[in-house]
Every structure is written in C-alpha cells, then in structure tokens.
Amino acid sequence: MTRQDGKTALTLRGPETQATLAPCPANAEFFGIQFKLGTFMPYLPVSSLVDNATTLPAATSQSFWLNHSAWQFPNFDDADIFVDKLVREGLLVREAVVDAVLRGQRQGRLAQSTPPKESLRSIQRHFIQATGLTHRTIQQIERAQQAADLLEQGVSILDTVDQIGYADQSHLTRSLKRFIGQTPAQISRKR
C-alpha cells in the first residue's frame, strides 16, 4: 500500500527474477504484506505478476476493487484480519506442493494419485502456477541470498564461493548482480 499526496493505492507485486529499484518518494508512506512462497490469488495468475506489478483500482478514498467487490484498505494494525478475510473468501490460497518441492520431496495428493512421470509433470505445473517461477530459479535466488548473507557477516568472497558452491568468483558476481543488484565487493563494503 502506498499513501502519497492524500491518495492511497494497493499494488500487487509478483516474484522478481532480477534485482530492481523501487521508487520511494520522500513524501510517501509504504506498508506491505509479504506472502510465503506458494501463496497466491487464484483469480490472478502469478505468471502475469512475475517481474511485474498491478495496482488495483480504487473504489473510494478508503477502499479498492478486488474480484468485483470493494475492500477497505488494510493498515499495519489489521493486516492479519485482512489476510484472514482473503483466505475465508477464497481469494488467497496456499499450494501445499510448493513446500514439498522445496523440501525435496514428492509427496501429497499428486504423487499418490498419478503415475510417476505424470506426477512429476503435475507437481512442476502446480509449483509454477503457485509461484510463477521454476524450482531452479527459486534455488538460484535463495543461493544468491545465502551468499549475500555470508558476505554481510564478513565472510571473504573466496570463502563464500567455496561455502555456497559457486564455480568461481565471476559466477558468484554474476548471480549477485542479477538477483541482489550488487557485486560481492559492494555487499562486503556495506558491512
């Protein structure tokens, strides 16, 4: 949510496959709710939000349109109530397959109800439908975040390459520039 110049707007932002700068005007206030990976709005395909965002239309100065209904803008104090209402209305769901895939397991209703080849394809399809990204892309993003965390803790660039399993320093640099938006040296200097 953004409040600026007396106006409020609610923007849905999807997963990002590269680091991007977000405009933050000095006279604006921001409030956000970040959902766990695999949480999505079924009526709005996550694939349309990858590296993208959409601002929901305002209904009044205090509300916005969501799935043909006017909803009051949430605030920091009632964010949990807002999310609970989205879940009750079926506008926000979780795909359990995502957790299983992230844990490296093939379990749940898909693995039990379909042949092995179909099960893997079904799991992959459900995973992408819920996250907008492939499992491999998510692994690369998480790996880059782990590397950035080590560098921020003072671990050397070469030790980070070794601990996280990058092929070499240039591989680490390309990954961090893409997913974090900074080089290893820039991240180390922040410390």
Side-chain angles (χ1 to χ4, degrees), residues 26-43:
N27 64 340
E29 295 177 33
F30 300 94
F31 162 69
I33 301 171
Q34 185 172 357
F35 296 114
K36 186 175 180 180
L37 193 60
T39 303
F40 66 103
M41 300 177 111
Y43 81 94

PDB file of all heavy atoms in Angstrom, residues 26-43:
ATOM      1  N   ALA A  26      10.028  10.747  -1.082  1.00  0.00           N
ATOM      2  CA  ALA A  26      10.171  11.160   0.313  1.00  0.00           C
ATOM      3  C   ALA A  26       8.825  11.456   0.961  1.00  0.00           C
ATOM      4  O   ALA A  26       8.662  11.272   2.157  1.00  0.00           O
ATOM      5  CB  ALA A  26      11.079  12.381   0.389  1.00  0.00           C
ATOM      6  N   ASN A  27       7.845  11.905   0.206  1.00  0.00           N
ATOM      7  CA  ASN A  27       6.559  12.283   0.786  1.00  0.00           C
ATOM      8  C   ASN A  27       5.539  11.143   0.779  1.00  0.00           C
ATOM      9  O   ASN A  27       4.354  11.380   0.946  1.00  0.00           O
ATOM     10  CB  ASN A  27       5.982  13.504   0.056  1.00  0.00           C
ATOM     11  CG  ASN A  27       5.671  13.197  -1.403  1.00  0.00           C
ATOM     12  OD1 ASN A  27       6.197  12.250  -1.975  1.00  0.00           O
ATOM     13  ND2 ASN A  27       4.820  14.002  -2.002  1.00  0.00           N
ATOM     14  N   ALA A  28       5.985   9.903   0.607  1.00  0.00           N
ATOM     15  CA  ALA A  28       5.069   8.759   0.550  1.00  0.00           C
ATOM     16  C   ALA A  28       5.276   7.851   1.761  1.00  0.00           C
ATOM     17  O   ALA A  28       6.358   7.784   2.325  1.00  0.00           O
ATOM     18  CB  ALA A  28       5.280   7.967  -0.732  1.00  0.00           C
ATOM     19  N   GLU A  29       4.195   7.176   2.148  1.00  0.00           N
ATOM     20  CA  GLU A  29       4.250   6.164   3.201  1.00  0.00           C
ATOM     21  C   GLU A  29       3.962   4.813   2.559  1.00  0.00           C
ATOM     22  O   GLU A  29       3.099   4.706   1.688  1.00  0.00           O
ATOM     23  CB  GLU A  29       3.186   6.437   4.260  1.00  0.00           C
ATOM     24  CG  GLU A  29       3.372   7.711   5.028  1.00  0.00           C
ATOM     25  CD  GLU A  29       2.228   7.925   6.014  1.00  0.00           C
ATOM     26  OE1 GLU A  29       1.686   6.932   6.550  1.00  0.00           O
ATOM     27  OE2 GLU A  29       1.859   9.091   6.207  1.00  0.00           O
ATOM     28  N   PHE A  30       4.670   3.778   3.015  1.00  0.00           N
ATOM     29  CA  PHE A  30       4.511   2.448   2.448  1.00  0.00           C
ATOM     30  C   PHE A  30       4.190   1.438   3.537  1.00  0.00           C
ATOM     31  O   PHE A  30       4.661   1.545   4.658  1.00  0.00           O
ATOM     32  CB  PHE A  30       5.798   2.002   1.737  1.00  0.00           C
ATOM     33  CG  PHE A  30       6.207   2.908   0.623  1.00  0.00           C
ATOM     34  CD1 PHE A  30       7.113   3.937   0.839  1.00  0.00           C
ATOM     35  CD2 PHE A  30       5.685   2.747  -0.642  1.00  0.00           C
ATOM     36  CE1 PHE A  30       7.498   4.778  -0.181  1.00  0.00           C
ATOM     37  CE2 PHE A  30       6.057   3.586  -1.673  1.00  0.00           C
ATOM     38  CZ  PHE A  30       6.963   4.601  -1.440  1.00  0.00           C
ATOM     39  N   PHE A  31       3.390   0.453   3.170  1.00  0.00           N
ATOM     40  CA  PHE A  31       3.044  -0.655   4.057  1.00  0.00           C
ATOM     41  C   PHE A  31       2.911  -1.884   3.171  1.00  0.00           C
ATOM     42  O   PHE A  31       2.287  -1.810   2.105  1.00  0.00           O
ATOM     43  CB  PHE A  31       1.724  -0.334   4.772  1.00  0.00           C
ATOM     44  CG  PHE A  31       1.041  -1.530   5.367  1.00  0.00           C
ATOM     45  CD1 PHE A  31       1.584  -2.193   6.450  1.00  0.00           C
ATOM     46  CD2 PHE A  31      -0.147  -1.996   4.836  1.00  0.00           C
ATOM     47  CE1 PHE A  31       0.951  -3.288   6.995  1.00  0.00           C
ATOM     48  CE2 PHE A  31      -0.789  -3.090   5.366  1.00  0.00           C
ATOM     49  CZ  PHE A  31      -0.241  -3.735   6.463  1.00  0.00           C
ATOM     50  N   GLY A  32       3.503  -2.999   3.562  1.00  0.00           N
ATOM     51  CA  GLY A  32       3.437  -4.179   2.721  1.00  0.00           C
ATOM     52  C   GLY A  32       3.169  -5.454   3.494  1.00  0.00           C
ATOM     53  O   GLY A  32       3.457  -5.549   4.689  1.00  0.00           O
ATOM     54  N   ILE A  33       2.626  -6.419   2.808  1.00  0.00           N
ATOM     55  CA  ILE A  33       2.406  -7.761   3.338  1.00  0.00           C
ATOM     56  C   ILE A  33       3.107  -8.713   2.379  1.00  0.00           C
ATOM     57  O   ILE A  33       2.801  -8.722   1.187  1.00  0.00           O
ATOM     58  CB  ILE A  33       0.904  -8.108   3.409  1.00  0.00           C
ATOM     59  CG1 ILE A  33       0.154  -7.124   4.297  1.00  0.00           C
ATOM     60  CG2 ILE A  33       0.713  -9.546   3.899  1.00  0.00           C
ATOM     61  CD1 ILE A  33      -1.366  -7.263   4.241  1.00  0.00           C
ATOM     62  N   GLN A  34       4.058  -9.466   2.877  1.00  0.00           N
ATOM     63  CA  GLN A  34       4.771 -10.420   2.036  1.00  0.00           C
ATOM     64  C   GLN A  34       4.261 -11.819   2.354  1.00  0.00           C
ATOM     65  O   GLN A  34       4.261 -12.249   3.510  1.00  0.00           O
ATOM     66  CB  GLN A  34       6.281 -10.343   2.294  1.00  0.00           C
ATOM     67  CG  GLN A  34       7.072 -11.218   1.368  1.00  0.00           C
ATOM     68  CD  GLN A  34       8.565 -10.992   1.510  1.00  0.00           C
ATOM     69  OE1 GLN A  34       9.017 -10.141   2.268  1.00  0.00           O
ATOM     70  NE2 GLN A  34       9.336 -11.775   0.795  1.00  0.00           N
ATOM     71  N   PHE A  35       3.820 -12.532   1.316  1.00  0.00           N
ATOM     72  CA  PHE A  35       3.271 -13.865   1.497  1.00  0.00           C
ATOM     73  C   PHE A  35       4.350 -14.924   1.327  1.00  0.00           C
ATOM     74  O   PHE A  35       5.296 -14.747   0.556  1.00  0.00           O
ATOM     75  CB  PHE A  35       2.139 -14.128   0.504  1.00  0.00           C
ATOM     76  CG  PHE A  35       0.963 -13.228   0.702  1.00  0.00           C
ATOM     77  CD1 PHE A  35       0.602 -12.301  -0.258  1.00  0.00           C
ATOM     78  CD2 PHE A  35       0.222 -13.290   1.871  1.00  0.00           C
ATOM     79  CE1 PHE A  35      -0.482 -11.465  -0.075  1.00  0.00           C
ATOM     80  CE2 PHE A  35      -0.866 -12.454   2.073  1.00  0.00           C
ATOM     81  CZ  PHE A  35      -1.212 -11.538   1.096  1.00  0.00           C
ATOM     82  N   LYS A  36       4.178 -16.013   2.019  1.00  0.00           N
ATOM     83  CA  LYS A  36       5.076 -17.145   1.921  1.00  0.00           C
ATOM     84  C   LYS A  36       5.016 -17.723   0.509  1.00  0.00           C
ATOM     85  O   LYS A  36       3.955 -17.721  -0.136  1.00  0.00           O
ATOM     86  CB  LYS A  36       4.672 -18.204   2.947  1.00  0.00           C
ATOM     87  CG  LYS A  36       5.618 -19.367   3.043  1.00  0.00           C
ATOM     88  CD  LYS A  36       5.204 -20.311   4.163  1.00  0.00           C
ATOM     89  CE  LYS A  36       6.162 -21.478   4.235  1.00  0.00           C
ATOM     90  NZ  LYS A  36       5.792 -22.411   5.291  1.00  0.00           N
ATOM     91  N   LEU A  37       6.133 -18.203   0.026  1.00  0.00           N
ATOM     92  CA  LEU A  37       6.207 -18.794  -1.300  1.00  0.00           C
ATOM     93  C   LEU A  37       5.151 -19.888  -1.440  1.00  0.00           C
ATOM     94  O   LEU A  37       5.028 -20.753  -0.575  1.00  0.00           O
ATOM     95  CB  LEU A  37       7.608 -19.385  -1.513  1.00  0.00           C
ATOM     96  CG  LEU A  37       7.989 -19.777  -2.922  1.00  0.00           C
ATOM     97  CD1 LEU A  37       7.940 -18.566  -3.849  1.00  0.00           C
ATOM     98  CD2 LEU A  37       9.380 -20.386  -2.927  1.00  0.00           C
ATOM     99  N   GLY A  38       4.363 -19.830  -2.502  1.00  0.00           N
ATOM    100  CA  GLY A  38       3.296 -20.800  -2.734  1.00  0.00           C
ATOM    101  C   GLY A  38       1.929 -20.263  -2.360  1.00  0.00           C
ATOM    102  O   GLY A  38       0.923 -20.942  -2.540  1.00  0.00           O
ATOM    103  N   THR A  39       1.875 -19.036  -1.848  1.00  0.00           N
ATOM    104  CA  THR A  39       0.607 -18.379  -1.540  1.00  0.00           C
ATOM    105  C   THR A  39       0.257 -17.500  -2.733  1.00  0.00           C
ATOM    106  O   THR A  39       1.102 -16.743  -3.212  1.00  0.00           O
ATOM    107  CB  THR A  39       0.729 -17.515  -0.266  1.00  0.00           C
ATOM    108  OG1 THR A  39       1.171 -18.353   0.805  1.00  0.00           O
ATOM    109  CG2 THR A  39      -0.590 -16.880   0.087  1.00  0.00           C
ATOM    110  N   PHE A  40      -0.964 -17.620  -3.238  1.00  0.00           N
ATOM    111  CA  PHE A  40      -1.323 -16.868  -4.435  1.00  0.00           C
ATOM    112  C   PHE A  40      -2.821 -16.606  -4.480  1.00  0.00           C
ATOM    113  O   PHE A  40      -3.585 -17.168  -3.699  1.00  0.00           O
ATOM    114  CB  PHE A  40      -0.858 -17.596  -5.703  1.00  0.00           C
ATOM    115  CG  PHE A  40      -1.558 -18.907  -5.956  1.00  0.00           C
ATOM    116  CD1 PHE A  40      -2.558 -19.007  -6.913  1.00  0.00           C
ATOM    117  CD2 PHE A  40      -1.199 -20.041  -5.244  1.00  0.00           C
ATOM    118  CE1 PHE A  40      -3.198 -20.210  -7.147  1.00  0.00           C
ATOM    119  CE2 PHE A  40      -1.834 -21.254  -5.472  1.00  0.00           C
ATOM    120  CZ  PHE A  40      -2.837 -21.334  -6.421  1.00  0.00           C
ATOM    121  N   MET A  41      -3.215 -15.748  -5.403  1.00  0.00           N
ATOM    122  CA  MET A  41      -4.620 -15.414  -5.614  1.00  0.00           C
ATOM    123  C   MET A  41      -5.069 -16.139  -6.881  1.00  0.00           C
ATOM    124  O   MET A  41      -4.621 -15.790  -7.973  1.00  0.00           O
ATOM    125  CB  MET A  41      -4.785 -13.903  -5.750  1.00  0.00           C
ATOM    126  CG  MET A  41      -4.309 -13.163  -4.517  1.00  0.00           C
ATOM    127  SD  MET A  41      -4.430 -11.388  -4.688  1.00  0.00           S
ATOM    128  CE  MET A  41      -5.740 -11.098  -3.514  1.00  0.00           C
ATOM    129  N   PRO A  42      -5.937 -17.147  -6.753  1.00  0.00           N
ATOM    130  CA  PRO A  42      -6.310 -17.977  -7.901  1.00  0.00           C
ATOM    131  C   PRO A  42      -6.899 -17.195  -9.077  1.00  0.00           C
ATOM    132  O   PRO A  42      -6.701 -17.575 -10.230  1.00  0.00           O
ATOM    133  CB  PRO A  42      -7.350 -18.944  -7.340  1.00  0.00           C
ATOM    134  CG  PRO A  42      -7.211 -18.891  -5.876  1.00  0.00           C
ATOM    135  CD  PRO A  42      -6.615 -17.569  -5.528  1.00  0.00           C
ATOM    136  N   TYR A  43      -7.611 -16.115  -8.818  1.00  0.00           N
ATOM    137  CA  TYR A  43      -8.232 -15.377  -9.919  1.00  0.00           C
ATOM    138  C   TYR A  43      -7.222 -14.503 -10.660  1.00  0.00           C
ATOM    139  O   TYR A  43      -7.524 -13.985 -11.732  1.00  0.00           O
ATOM    140  CB  TYR A  43      -9.397 -14.527  -9.409  1.00  0.00           C
ATOM    141  CG  TYR A  43      -8.978 -13.216  -8.799  1.00  0.00           C
ATOM    142  CD1 TYR A  43      -8.952 -12.057  -9.576  1.00  0.00           C
ATOM    143  CD2 TYR A  43      -8.572 -13.140  -7.481  1.00  0.00           C
ATOM    144  CE1 TYR A  43      -8.540 -10.860  -9.030  1.00  0.00           C
ATOM    145  CE2 TYR A  43      -8.169 -11.946  -6.936  1.00  0.00           C
ATOM    146  CZ  TYR A  43      -8.151 -10.815  -7.718  1.00  0.00           C
ATOM    147  OH  TYR A  43      -7.738  -9.628  -7.183  1.00  0.00           O
TER     148      TYR A  43
END
